[in-house]
Amino acid sequence: MNPFIFNCPTKVCFAEGSSSSVAEHLADLGAKSPFLITDEFLLKNNIIAPALSALEERFGKVSIYSDVPPDSDLECINKVAKNAKDAGADSIVAIGGGSVIDTAKVVNICLTLGGDILSHQGLNAIETKLFPLIVIPTTAGTGSEVSYVAMIKHHVEKRKIVFGSKFLAPDIALLDPMMQLTLPAKLTAATGMDALTHAIESVVCEITGSSFSDALATEAARMIFKWLPVATADGGDLEARSNMLVASCMAGSAFSNAGVGIVHALAHSTGARFNTHHGLTNAIFLPHGMRFNQSVAQAKYAQLSRQLGFSKTLDDNEGTATLIDSVENLLKQLNLPSRLELIGVPKLNESELQQWANDAVDDPSTMFNPKELTVQDAIEIYKRAY
Ligand SMILES: NC(=O)c1ccc[n+]([C@@H]2O[C@H](COP(=O)([O-])OP(=O)(O)OC[C@H]3O[C@@H](n4cnc5c(N)ncnc54)[C@H](O)[C@@H]3O)[C@@H](O)[C@H]2O)c1
Ligand SMILES: [Fe+2]
């Protein structure tokens, strides 16, 4: 067995209506002046109302920043960090999807440590405890509520910048399925596919994976195959929403320890250029990434296929094919597009394709993939997925 370390520093609390317990949790962490980060939709539709009134009852008037765009960028981080500093914030509450949560993580770096934001980028550049951070996810996909990373867009360089450190993991994740009832079907499906990609990619990260991450990823995948179609078909089904929220968090914990792989690398390079949704882009690349990895990872894929009840065969090749079929069938069931062209990715010429592939190969996610990705491999996958 490979040596491993498994960590989940975030306290995870699940309960219907738990968003209103945020003030209590924050006070326990010693906070006195929280700053709330969210997005326009969640503010305008009163989804943050229970949390906000609990915070205001306990701490008085709370400063809010609600202009976080999908796939937050450096400009947004600088603006929010200045607002939080001016407000005298000593802690942060993030209510939103991965874009809001990642914004909050990087704003917390700026708020606690100061300095130029870019000086903190990269893996393990942050070595001290940051201000208290509580997150309330409103999508079920990214796992950012427990992960050690944040991905922020660099518009000029057309790429995503990674911030990674164990100190980026939020102190507390409040999982409240009531926060997800307004999530439209397409976003429910797309974000759920992000969680499935985390689960499937983490299972084949041989060096950093462990029985701990495998157990979380396998159970997360089982829950997602069962409940994602239900949550997508009926957004008001609290049981389905609850299962997706928990599964996404488990997959988040699995990939935070084991890693993700080339599907994420290809999706990052695509999303940074063409503003495609992260989960949707992963969904399209997932079957292609699995076929690419099959030659080295088929024993793990086949085992997952048997554990999920998709196949009984001991033939790894067949078991892997069944798992890939199940992923493609799920995409069809969710009515998600299966080709890049259908999500607005333009046809790239050779030099654009080369640059896109270079960025994918340089993405940190490739470090954990079981098989090396070359520029030529990435280009071939792009053409197949187009
Ligand atoms: N840090 C990590 O570990 C990690 C992992 C995966 C992805 N990410 C990042 O997360 C981002 C994607 O996050 P996401 O998929 O959660 O989407 P998102 O946060 O970008 O939100 C997408 C849209 O959904 C809307 N929305 C969110 N919650 C809603 C709700 N309850 N009801 C109605 N609308 C709602 C938002 O307003 C937004 O318009 C990407 O930037 C990606 O890079 C981070
Ligand atoms: Fe992801």
Side-chain angles (χ1 to χ4, degrees), residues 268-292:
H268 290 152
S269 185
T270 309
R273 280 180 171 70
F274 311 117
N275 298 323
T276 53
H277 181 263
H278 175 74
L280 194 51
T281 323
N282 274 333
I284 290 175
F285 281 121
L286 182 57
H288 299 281
M290 292 169 76
R291 282 192 191 98
F292 174 76

mmCIF file with all atom_site columns, all heavy atoms in Angstrom, residues 268-292:
data_model
loop_
_atom_site.group_PDB
_atom_site.id
_atom_site.type_symbol
_atom_site.label_atom_id
_atom_site.label_alt_id
_atom_site.label_comp_id
_atom_site.label_asym_id
_atom_site.label_entity_id
_atom_site.label_seq_id
_atom_site.pdbx_PDB_ins_code
_atom_site.Cartn_x
_atom_site.Cartn_y
_atom_site.Cartn_z
_atom_site.occupancy
_atom_site.B_iso_or_equiv
_atom_site.pdbx_formal_charge
_atom_site.auth_seq_id
_atom_site.auth_comp_id
_atom_site.auth_asym_id
_atom_site.auth_atom_id
_atom_site.pdbx_PDB_model_num
ATOM 1   N N   . HIS A 1 268 ? -10.432 23.319 -17.530 1.00 0.00 ? 268 HIS A N   1
ATOM 2   C CA  . HIS A 1 268 ? -9.908  24.635 -17.098 1.00 0.00 ? 268 HIS A CA  1
ATOM 3   C C   . HIS A 1 268 ? -9.443  25.448 -18.300 1.00 0.00 ? 268 HIS A C   1
ATOM 4   O O   . HIS A 1 268 ? -9.724  26.641 -18.416 1.00 0.00 ? 268 HIS A O   1
ATOM 5   C CB  . HIS A 1 268 ? -8.737  24.463 -16.119 1.00 0.00 ? 268 HIS A CB  1
ATOM 6   C CG  . HIS A 1 268 ? -9.160  23.942 -14.773 1.00 0.00 ? 268 HIS A CG  1
ATOM 7   N ND1 . HIS A 1 268 ? -8.335  23.194 -13.958 1.00 0.00 ? 268 HIS A ND1 1
ATOM 8   C CD2 . HIS A 1 268 ? -10.338 24.058 -14.106 1.00 0.00 ? 268 HIS A CD2 1
ATOM 9   C CE1 . HIS A 1 268 ? -8.986  22.874 -12.852 1.00 0.00 ? 268 HIS A CE1 1
ATOM 10  N NE2 . HIS A 1 268 ? -10.196 23.385 -12.914 1.00 0.00 ? 268 HIS A NE2 1
ATOM 11  N N   . SER A 1 269 ? -8.709  24.792 -19.202 1.00 0.00 ? 269 SER A N   1
ATOM 12  C CA  . SER A 1 269 ? -8.189  25.503 -20.369 1.00 0.00 ? 269 SER A CA  1
ATOM 13  C C   . SER A 1 269 ? -9.350  26.003 -21.245 1.00 0.00 ? 269 SER A C   1
ATOM 14  O O   . SER A 1 269 ? -9.297  27.104 -21.801 1.00 0.00 ? 269 SER A O   1
ATOM 15  C CB  . SER A 1 269 ? -7.269  24.561 -21.164 1.00 0.00 ? 269 SER A CB  1
ATOM 16  O OG  . SER A 1 269 ? -6.685  25.261 -22.212 1.00 0.00 ? 269 SER A OG  1
ATOM 17  N N   . THR A 1 270 ? -10.405 25.210 -21.340 1.00 0.00 ? 270 THR A N   1
ATOM 18  C CA  . THR A 1 270 ? -11.568 25.577 -22.153 1.00 0.00 ? 270 THR A CA  1
ATOM 19  C C   . THR A 1 270 ? -12.372 26.700 -21.484 1.00 0.00 ? 270 THR A C   1
ATOM 20  O O   . THR A 1 270 ? -12.713 27.706 -22.121 1.00 0.00 ? 270 THR A O   1
ATOM 21  C CB  . THR A 1 270 ? -12.486 24.340 -22.342 1.00 0.00 ? 270 THR A CB  1
ATOM 22  O OG1 . THR A 1 270 ? -11.675 23.250 -22.797 1.00 0.00 ? 270 THR A OG1 1
ATOM 23  C CG2 . THR A 1 270 ? -13.588 24.600 -23.344 1.00 0.00 ? 270 THR A CG2 1
ATOM 24  N N   . GLY A 1 271 ? -12.659 26.522 -20.190 1.00 0.00 ? 271 GLY A N   1
ATOM 25  C CA  . GLY A 1 271 ? -13.494 27.498 -19.472 1.00 0.00 ? 271 GLY A CA  1
ATOM 26  C C   . GLY A 1 271 ? -12.833 28.866 -19.408 1.00 0.00 ? 271 GLY A C   1
ATOM 27  O O   . GLY A 1 271 ? -13.506 29.899 -19.540 1.00 0.00 ? 271 GLY A O   1
ATOM 28  N N   . ALA A 1 272 ? -11.511 28.891 -19.218 1.00 0.00 ? 272 ALA A N   1
ATOM 29  C CA  . ALA A 1 272 ? -10.812 30.175 -19.101 1.00 0.00 ? 272 ALA A CA  1
ATOM 30  C C   . ALA A 1 272 ? -10.895 30.955 -20.412 1.00 0.00 ? 272 ALA A C   1
ATOM 31  O O   . ALA A 1 272 ? -10.922 32.170 -20.425 1.00 0.00 ? 272 ALA A O   1
ATOM 32  C CB  . ALA A 1 272 ? -9.353  29.940 -18.718 1.00 0.00 ? 272 ALA A CB  1
ATOM 33  N N   . ARG A 1 273 ? -10.940 30.235 -21.554 1.00 0.00 ? 273 ARG A N   1
ATOM 34  C CA  . ARG A 1 273 ? -10.998 30.921 -22.864 1.00 0.00 ? 273 ARG A CA  1
ATOM 35  C C   . ARG A 1 273 ? -12.414 31.268 -23.309 1.00 0.00 ? 273 ARG A C   1
ATOM 36  O O   . ARG A 1 273 ? -12.659 32.323 -23.852 1.00 0.00 ? 273 ARG A O   1
ATOM 37  C CB  . ARG A 1 273 ? -10.426 29.989 -23.946 1.00 0.00 ? 273 ARG A CB  1
ATOM 38  C CG  . ARG A 1 273 ? -8.941  29.990 -23.984 1.00 0.00 ? 273 ARG A CG  1
ATOM 39  C CD  . ARG A 1 273 ? -8.442  29.046 -25.070 1.00 0.00 ? 273 ARG A CD  1
ATOM 40  N NE  . ARG A 1 273 ? -7.026  29.232 -25.223 1.00 0.00 ? 273 ARG A NE  1
ATOM 41  C CZ  . ARG A 1 273 ? -6.121  28.868 -24.329 1.00 0.00 ? 273 ARG A CZ  1
ATOM 42  N NH1 . ARG A 1 273 ? -6.502  28.280 -23.213 1.00 0.00 ? 273 ARG A NH1 1
ATOM 43  N NH2 . ARG A 1 273 ? -4.841  29.100 -24.525 1.00 0.00 ? 273 ARG A NH2 1
ATOM 44  N N   . PHE A 1 274 ? -13.333 30.340 -23.094 1.00 0.00 ? 274 PHE A N   1
ATOM 45  C CA  . PHE A 1 274 ? -14.645 30.486 -23.743 1.00 0.00 ? 274 PHE A CA  1
ATOM 46  C C   . PHE A 1 274 ? -15.808 30.623 -22.756 1.00 0.00 ? 274 PHE A C   1
ATOM 47  O O   . PHE A 1 274 ? -16.975 30.533 -23.163 1.00 0.00 ? 274 PHE A O   1
ATOM 48  C CB  . PHE A 1 274 ? -14.895 29.292 -24.691 1.00 0.00 ? 274 PHE A CB  1
ATOM 49  C CG  . PHE A 1 274 ? -13.725 29.031 -25.596 1.00 0.00 ? 274 PHE A CG  1
ATOM 50  C CD1 . PHE A 1 274 ? -13.011 27.841 -25.539 1.00 0.00 ? 274 PHE A CD1 1
ATOM 51  C CD2 . PHE A 1 274 ? -13.304 30.015 -26.484 1.00 0.00 ? 274 PHE A CD2 1
ATOM 52  C CE1 . PHE A 1 274 ? -11.914 27.621 -26.355 1.00 0.00 ? 274 PHE A CE1 1
ATOM 53  C CE2 . PHE A 1 274 ? -12.198 29.811 -27.300 1.00 0.00 ? 274 PHE A CE2 1
ATOM 54  C CZ  . PHE A 1 274 ? -11.503 28.613 -27.237 1.00 0.00 ? 274 PHE A CZ  1
ATOM 55  N N   . ASN A 1 275 ? -15.473 30.821 -21.462 1.00 0.00 ? 275 ASN A N   1
ATOM 56  C CA  . ASN A 1 275 ? -16.504 31.039 -20.436 1.00 0.00 ? 275 ASN A CA  1
ATOM 57  C C   . ASN A 1 275 ? -17.541 29.923 -20.364 1.00 0.00 ? 275 ASN A C   1
ATOM 58  O O   . ASN A 1 275 ? -18.705 30.171 -20.046 1.00 0.00 ? 275 ASN A O   1
ATOM 59  C CB  . ASN A 1 275 ? -17.249 32.362 -20.682 1.00 0.00 ? 275 ASN A CB  1
ATOM 60  C CG  . ASN A 1 275 ? -16.306 33.521 -20.605 1.00 0.00 ? 275 ASN A CG  1
ATOM 61  O OD1 . ASN A 1 275 ? -15.393 33.515 -19.782 1.00 0.00 ? 275 ASN A OD1 1
ATOM 62  N ND2 . ASN A 1 275 ? -16.465 34.495 -21.484 1.00 0.00 ? 275 ASN A ND2 1
ATOM 63  N N   . THR A 1 276 ? -17.147 28.709 -20.700 1.00 0.00 ? 276 THR A N   1
ATOM 64  C CA  . THR A 1 276 ? -18.102 27.601 -20.582 1.00 0.00 ? 276 THR A CA  1
ATOM 65  C C   . THR A 1 276 ? -18.220 27.220 -19.101 1.00 0.00 ? 276 THR A C   1
ATOM 66  O O   . THR A 1 276 ? -17.265 27.399 -18.335 1.00 0.00 ? 276 THR A O   1
ATOM 67  C CB  . THR A 1 276 ? -17.602 26.377 -21.371 1.00 0.00 ? 276 THR A CB  1
ATOM 68  O OG1 . THR A 1 276 ? -16.260 26.076 -20.945 1.00 0.00 ? 276 THR A OG1 1
ATOM 69  C CG2 . THR A 1 276 ? -17.598 26.665 -22.861 1.00 0.00 ? 276 THR A CG2 1
ATOM 70  N N   . HIS A 1 277 ? -19.379 26.704 -18.706 1.00 0.00 ? 277 HIS A N   1
ATOM 71  C CA  . HIS A 1 277 ? -19.562 26.335 -17.296 1.00 0.00 ? 277 HIS A CA  1
ATOM 72  C C   . HIS A 1 277 ? -18.634 25.167 -16.944 1.00 0.00 ? 277 HIS A C   1
ATOM 73  O O   . HIS A 1 277 ? -18.504 24.200 -17.712 1.00 0.00 ? 277 HIS A O   1
ATOM 74  C CB  . HIS A 1 277 ? -21.036 25.970 -17.016 1.00 0.00 ? 277 HIS A CB  1
ATOM 75  C CG  . HIS A 1 277 ? -21.251 25.612 -15.574 1.00 0.00 ? 277 HIS A CG  1
ATOM 76  N ND1 . HIS A 1 277 ? -21.274 24.314 -15.132 1.00 0.00 ? 277 HIS A ND1 1
ATOM 77  C CD2 . HIS A 1 277 ? -21.386 26.382 -14.468 1.00 0.00 ? 277 HIS A CD2 1
ATOM 78  C CE1 . HIS A 1 277 ? -21.440 24.308 -13.814 1.00 0.00 ? 277 HIS A CE1 1
ATOM 79  N NE2 . HIS A 1 277 ? -21.518 25.549 -13.390 1.00 0.00 ? 277 HIS A NE2 1
ATOM 80  N N   . HIS A 1 278 ? -18.027 25.266 -15.755 1.00 0.00 ? 278 HIS A N   1
ATOM 81  C CA  . HIS A 1 278 ? -17.038 24.265 -15.331 1.00 0.00 ? 278 HIS A CA  1
ATOM 82  C C   . HIS A 1 278 ? -17.596 22.832 -15.326 1.00 0.00 ? 278 HIS A C   1
ATOM 83  O O   . HIS A 1 278 ? -16.989 21.908 -15.879 1.00 0.00 ? 278 HIS A O   1
ATOM 84  C CB  . HIS A 1 278 ? -16.523 24.659 -13.942 1.00 0.00 ? 278 HIS A CB  1
ATOM 85  C CG  . HIS A 1 278 ? -15.606 23.669 -13.325 1.00 0.00 ? 278 HIS A CG  1
ATOM 86  N ND1 . HIS A 1 278 ? -14.309 23.499 -13.739 1.00 0.00 ? 278 HIS A ND1 1
ATOM 87  C CD2 . HIS A 1 278 ? -15.803 22.764 -12.324 1.00 0.00 ? 278 HIS A CD2 1
ATOM 88  C CE1 . HIS A 1 278 ? -13.747 22.534 -13.012 1.00 0.00 ? 278 HIS A CE1 1
ATOM 89  N NE2 . HIS A 1 278 ? -14.629 22.072 -12.152 1.00 0.00 ? 278 HIS A NE2 1
ATOM 90  N N   . GLY A 1 279 ? -18.770 22.659 -14.712 1.00 0.00 ? 279 GLY A N   1
ATOM 91  C CA  . GLY A 1 279 ? -19.343 21.310 -14.602 1.00 0.00 ? 279 GLY A CA  1
ATOM 92  C C   . GLY A 1 279 ? -19.740 20.752 -15.968 1.00 0.00 ? 279 GLY A C   1
ATOM 93  O O   . GLY A 1 279 ? -19.526 19.569 -16.267 1.00 0.00 ? 279 GLY A O   1
ATOM 94  N N   . LEU A 1 280 ? -20.301 21.626 -16.784 1.00 0.00 ? 280 LEU A N   1
ATOM 95  C CA  . LEU A 1 280 ? -20.746 21.213 -18.114 1.00 0.00 ? 280 LEU A CA  1
ATOM 96  C C   . LEU A 1 280 ? -19.548 20.810 -18.978 1.00 0.00 ? 280 LEU A C   1
ATOM 97  O O   . LEU A 1 280 ? -19.600 19.815 -19.729 1.00 0.00 ? 280 LEU A O   1
ATOM 98  C CB  . LEU A 1 280 ? -21.487 22.395 -18.751 1.00 0.00 ? 280 LEU A CB  1
ATOM 99  C CG  . LEU A 1 280 ? -22.321 22.164 -19.984 1.00 0.00 ? 280 LEU A CG  1
ATOM 100 C CD1 . LEU A 1 280 ? -23.284 21.011 -19.778 1.00 0.00 ? 280 LEU A CD1 1
ATOM 101 C CD2 . LEU A 1 280 ? -23.103 23.438 -20.331 1.00 0.00 ? 280 LEU A CD2 1
ATOM 102 N N   . THR A 1 281 ? -18.484 21.565 -18.869 1.00 0.00 ? 281 THR A N   1
ATOM 103 C CA  . THR A 1 281 ? -17.281 21.261 -19.656 1.00 0.00 ? 281 THR A CA  1
ATOM 104 C C   . THR A 1 281 ? -16.669 19.937 -19.186 1.00 0.00 ? 281 THR A C   1
ATOM 105 O O   . THR A 1 281 ? -16.270 19.097 -20.001 1.00 0.00 ? 281 THR A O   1
ATOM 106 C CB  . THR A 1 281 ? -16.254 22.417 -19.532 1.00 0.00 ? 281 THR A CB  1
ATOM 107 O OG1 . THR A 1 281 ? -16.958 23.650 -19.506 1.00 0.00 ? 281 THR A OG1 1
ATOM 108 C CG2 . THR A 1 281 ? -15.277 22.413 -20.679 1.00 0.00 ? 281 THR A CG2 1
ATOM 109 N N   . ASN A 1 282 ? -16.637 19.740 -17.868 1.00 0.00 ? 282 ASN A N   1
ATOM 110 C CA  . ASN A 1 282 ? -16.170 18.450 -17.346 1.00 0.00 ? 282 ASN A CA  1
ATOM 111 C C   . ASN A 1 282 ? -17.027 17.308 -17.866 1.00 0.00 ? 282 ASN A C   1
ATOM 112 O O   . ASN A 1 282 ? -16.516 16.244 -18.231 1.00 0.00 ? 282 ASN A O   1
ATOM 113 C CB  . ASN A 1 282 ? -16.275 18.428 -15.813 1.00 0.00 ? 282 ASN A CB  1
ATOM 114 C CG  . ASN A 1 282 ? -15.062 19.022 -15.133 1.00 0.00 ? 282 ASN A CG  1
ATOM 115 O OD1 . ASN A 1 282 ? -13.960 19.004 -15.678 1.00 0.00 ? 282 ASN A OD1 1
ATOM 116 N ND2 . ASN A 1 282 ? -15.261 19.553 -13.946 1.00 0.00 ? 282 ASN A ND2 1
ATOM 117 N N   . ALA A 1 283 ? -18.342 17.539 -17.877 1.00 0.00 ? 283 ALA A N   1
ATOM 118 C CA  . ALA A 1 283 ? -19.276 16.479 -18.293 1.00 0.00 ? 283 ALA A CA  1
ATOM 119 C C   . ALA A 1 283 ? -18.940 16.011 -19.704 1.00 0.00 ? 283 ALA A C   1
ATOM 120 O O   . ALA A 1 283 ? -18.959 14.810 -20.001 1.00 0.00 ? 283 ALA A O   1
ATOM 121 C CB  . ALA A 1 283 ? -20.718 16.992 -18.227 1.00 0.00 ? 283 ALA A CB  1
ATOM 122 N N   . ILE A 1 284 ? -18.602 16.964 -20.585 1.00 0.00 ? 284 ILE A N   1
ATOM 123 C CA  . ILE A 1 284 ? -18.303 16.594 -21.979 1.00 0.00 ? 284 ILE A CA  1
ATOM 124 C C   . ILE A 1 284 ? -16.975 15.848 -22.077 1.00 0.00 ? 284 ILE A C   1
ATOM 125 O O   . ILE A 1 284 ? -16.846 14.861 -22.810 1.00 0.00 ? 284 ILE A O   1
ATOM 126 C CB  . ILE A 1 284 ? -18.312 17.864 -22.864 1.00 0.00 ? 284 ILE A CB  1
ATOM 127 C CG1 . ILE A 1 284 ? -19.753 18.362 -22.973 1.00 0.00 ? 284 ILE A CG1 1
ATOM 128 C CG2 . ILE A 1 284 ? -17.719 17.584 -24.247 1.00 0.00 ? 284 ILE A CG2 1
ATOM 129 C CD1 . ILE A 1 284 ? -19.926 19.669 -23.705 1.00 0.00 ? 284 ILE A CD1 1
ATOM 130 N N   . PHE A 1 285 ? -15.976 16.294 -21.314 1.00 0.00 ? 285 PHE A N   1
ATOM 131 C CA  . PHE A 1 285 ? -14.659 15.650 -21.415 1.00 0.00 ? 285 PHE A CA  1
ATOM 132 C C   . PHE A 1 285 ? -14.568 14.324 -20.642 1.00 0.00 ? 285 PHE A C   1
ATOM 133 O O   . PHE A 1 285 ? -13.658 13.529 -20.884 1.00 0.00 ? 285 PHE A O   1
ATOM 134 C CB  . PHE A 1 285 ? -13.560 16.589 -20.892 1.00 0.00 ? 285 PHE A CB  1
ATOM 135 C CG  . PHE A 1 285 ? -13.143 17.654 -21.880 1.00 0.00 ? 285 PHE A CG  1
ATOM 136 C CD1 . PHE A 1 285 ? -13.243 19.001 -21.575 1.00 0.00 ? 285 PHE A CD1 1
ATOM 137 C CD2 . PHE A 1 285 ? -12.633 17.291 -23.138 1.00 0.00 ? 285 PHE A CD2 1
ATOM 138 C CE1 . PHE A 1 285 ? -12.851 19.981 -22.490 1.00 0.00 ? 285 PHE A CE1 1
ATOM 139 C CE2 . PHE A 1 285 ? -12.240 18.263 -24.060 1.00 0.00 ? 285 PHE A CE2 1
ATOM 140 C CZ  . PHE A 1 285 ? -12.343 19.613 -23.732 1.00 0.00 ? 285 PHE A CZ  1
ATOM 141 N N   . LEU A 1 286 ? -15.491 14.100 -19.689 1.00 0.00 ? 286 LEU A N   1
ATOM 142 C CA  . LEU A 1 286 ? -15.322 12.942 -18.792 1.00 0.00 ? 286 LEU A CA  1
ATOM 143 C C   . LEU A 1 286 ? -15.195 11.598 -19.528 1.00 0.00 ? 286 LEU A C   1
ATOM 144 O O   . LEU A 1 286 ? -14.216 10.868 -19.310 1.00 0.00 ? 286 LEU A O   1
ATOM 145 C CB  . LEU A 1 286 ? -16.444 12.920 -17.736 1.00 0.00 ? 286 LEU A CB  1
ATOM 146 C CG  . LEU A 1 286 ? -16.378 11.791 -16.708 1.00 0.00 ? 286 LEU A CG  1
ATOM 147 C CD1 . LEU A 1 286 ? -15.052 11.782 -15.944 1.00 0.00 ? 286 LEU A CD1 1
ATOM 148 C CD2 . LEU A 1 286 ? -17.542 11.890 -15.710 1.00 0.00 ? 286 LEU A CD2 1
ATOM 149 N N   . PRO A 1 287 ? -16.133 11.237 -20.429 1.00 0.00 ? 287 PRO A N   1
ATOM 150 C CA  . PRO A 1 287 ? -15.975 9.925  -21.095 1.00 0.00 ? 287 PRO A CA  1
ATOM 151 C C   . PRO A 1 287 ? -14.686 9.850  -21.916 1.00 0.00 ? 287 PRO A C   1
ATOM 152 O O   . PRO A 1 287 ? -14.031 8.802  -21.948 1.00 0.00 ? 287 PRO A O   1
ATOM 153 C CB  . PRO A 1 287 ? -17.199 9.839  -22.020 1.00 0.00 ? 287 PRO A CB  1
ATOM 154 C CG  . PRO A 1 287 ? -18.145 10.898 -21.571 1.00 0.00 ? 287 PRO A CG  1
ATOM 155 C CD  . PRO A 1 287 ? -17.357 11.940 -20.859 1.00 0.00 ? 287 PRO A CD  1
ATOM 156 N N   . HIS A 1 288 ? -14.298 10.965 -22.532 1.00 0.00 ? 288 HIS A N   1
ATOM 157 C CA  . HIS A 1 288 ? -13.064 10.983 -23.341 1.00 0.00 ? 288 HIS A CA  1
ATOM 158 C C   . HIS A 1 288 ? -11.828 10.810 -22.451 1.00 0.00 ? 288 HIS A C   1
ATOM 159 O O   . HIS A 1 288 ? -10.889 10.093 -22.801 1.00 0.00 ? 288 HIS A O   1
ATOM 160 C CB  . HIS A 1 288 ? -12.968 12.293 -24.129 1.00 0.00 ? 288 HIS A CB  1
ATOM 161 C CG  . HIS A 1 288 ? -14.110 12.473 -25.084 1.00 0.00 ? 288 HIS A CG  1
ATOM 162 N ND1 . HIS A 1 288 ? -14.171 11.842 -26.299 1.00 0.00 ? 288 HIS A ND1 1
ATOM 163 C CD2 . HIS A 1 288 ? -15.274 13.187 -24.960 1.00 0.00 ? 288 HIS A CD2 1
ATOM 164 C CE1 . HIS A 1 288 ? -15.302 12.173 -26.913 1.00 0.00 ? 288 HIS A CE1 1
ATOM 165 N NE2 . HIS A 1 288 ? -15.982 12.973 -26.113 1.00 0.00 ? 288 HIS A NE2 1
ATOM 166 N N   . GLY A 1 289 ? -11.844 11.481 -21.304 1.00 0.00 ? 289 GLY A N   1
ATOM 167 C CA  . GLY A 1 289 ? -10.724 11.364 -20.365 1.00 0.00 ? 289 GLY A CA  1
ATOM 168 C C   . GLY A 1 289 ? -10.599 9.935  -19.847 1.00 0.00 ? 289 GLY A C   1
ATOM 169 O O   . GLY A 1 289 ? -9.495  9.399  -19.697 1.00 0.00 ? 289 GLY A O   1
ATOM 170 N N   . MET A 1 290 ? -11.746 9.304  -19.590 1.00 0.00 ? 290 MET A N   1
ATOM 171 C CA  . MET A 1 290 ? -11.719 7.919  -19.089 1.00 0.00 ? 290 MET A CA  1
ATOM 172 C C   . MET A 1 290 ? -11.157 6.973  -20.156 1.00 0.00 ? 290 MET A C   1
ATOM 173 O O   . MET A 1 290 ? -10.355 6.086  -19.853 1.00 0.00 ? 290 MET A O   1
ATOM 174 C CB  . MET A 1 290 ? -13.129 7.485  -18.667 1.00 0.00 ? 290 MET A CB  1
ATOM 175 C CG  . MET A 1 290 ? -13.635 8.237  -17.446 1.00 0.00 ? 290 MET A CG  1
ATOM 176 S SD  . MET A 1 290 ? -15.393 7.962  -17.132 1.00 0.00 ? 290 MET A SD  1
ATOM 177 C CE  . MET A 1 290 ? -15.360 6.310  -16.432 1.00 0.00 ? 290 MET A CE  1
ATOM 178 N N   . ARG A 1 291 ? -11.571 7.185  -21.416 1.00 0.00 ? 291 ARG A N   1
ATOM 179 C CA  . ARG A 1 291 ? -11.041 6.327  -22.498 1.00 0.00 ? 291 ARG A CA  1
ATOM 180 C C   . ARG A 1 291 ? -9.540  6.518  -22.629 1.00 0.00 ? 291 ARG A C   1
ATOM 181 O O   . ARG A 1 291 ? -8.790  5.572  -22.842 1.00 0.00 ? 291 ARG A O   1
ATOM 182 C CB  . ARG A 1 291 ? -11.721 6.656  -23.833 1.00 0.00 ? 291 ARG A CB  1
ATOM 183 C CG  . ARG A 1 291 ? -13.095 6.050  -23.917 1.00 0.00 ? 291 ARG A CG  1
ATOM 184 C CD  . ARG A 1 291 ? -13.691 6.090  -25.316 1.00 0.00 ? 291 ARG A CD  1
ATOM 185 N NE  . ARG A 1 291 ? -15.087 5.725  -25.185 1.00 0.00 ? 291 ARG A NE  1
ATOM 186 C CZ  . ARG A 1 291 ? -16.100 6.590  -25.124 1.00 0.00 ? 291 ARG A CZ  1
ATOM 187 N NH1 . ARG A 1 291 ? -15.885 7.869  -25.269 1.00 0.00 ? 291 ARG A NH1 1
ATOM 188 N NH2 . ARG A 1 291 ? -17.333 6.165  -24.951 1.00 0.00 ? 291 ARG A NH2 1
ATOM 189 N N   . PHE A 1 292 ? -9.081  7.769  -22.472 1.00 0.00 ? 292 PHE A N   1
ATOM 190 C CA  . PHE A 1 292 ? -7.647  8.054  -22.571 1.00 0.00 ? 292 PHE A CA  1
ATOM 191 C C   . PHE A 1 292 ? -6.887  7.323  -21.450 1.00 0.00 ? 292 PHE A C   1
ATOM 192 O O   . PHE A 1 292 ? -5.829  6.732  -21.675 1.00 0.00 ? 292 PHE A O   1
ATOM 193 C CB  . PHE A 1 292 ? -7.410  9.571  -22.482 1.00 0.00 ? 292 PHE A CB  1
ATOM 194 C CG  . PHE A 1 292 ? -5.962  9.949  -22.431 1.00 0.00 ? 292 PHE A CG  1
ATOM 195 C CD1 . PHE A 1 292 ? -5.175  9.913  -23.581 1.00 0.00 ? 292 PHE A CD1 1
ATOM 196 C CD2 . PHE A 1 292 ? -5.366  10.324 -21.229 1.00 0.00 ? 292 PHE A CD2 1
ATOM 197 C CE1 . PHE A 1 292 ? -3.826  10.246 -23.540 1.00 0.00 ? 292 PHE A CE1 1
ATOM 198 C CE2 . PHE A 1 292 ? -4.018  10.654 -21.178 1.00 0.00 ? 292 PHE A CE2 1
ATOM 199 C CZ  . PHE A 1 292 ? -3.248  10.622 -22.330 1.00 0.00 ? 292 PHE A CZ  1
#
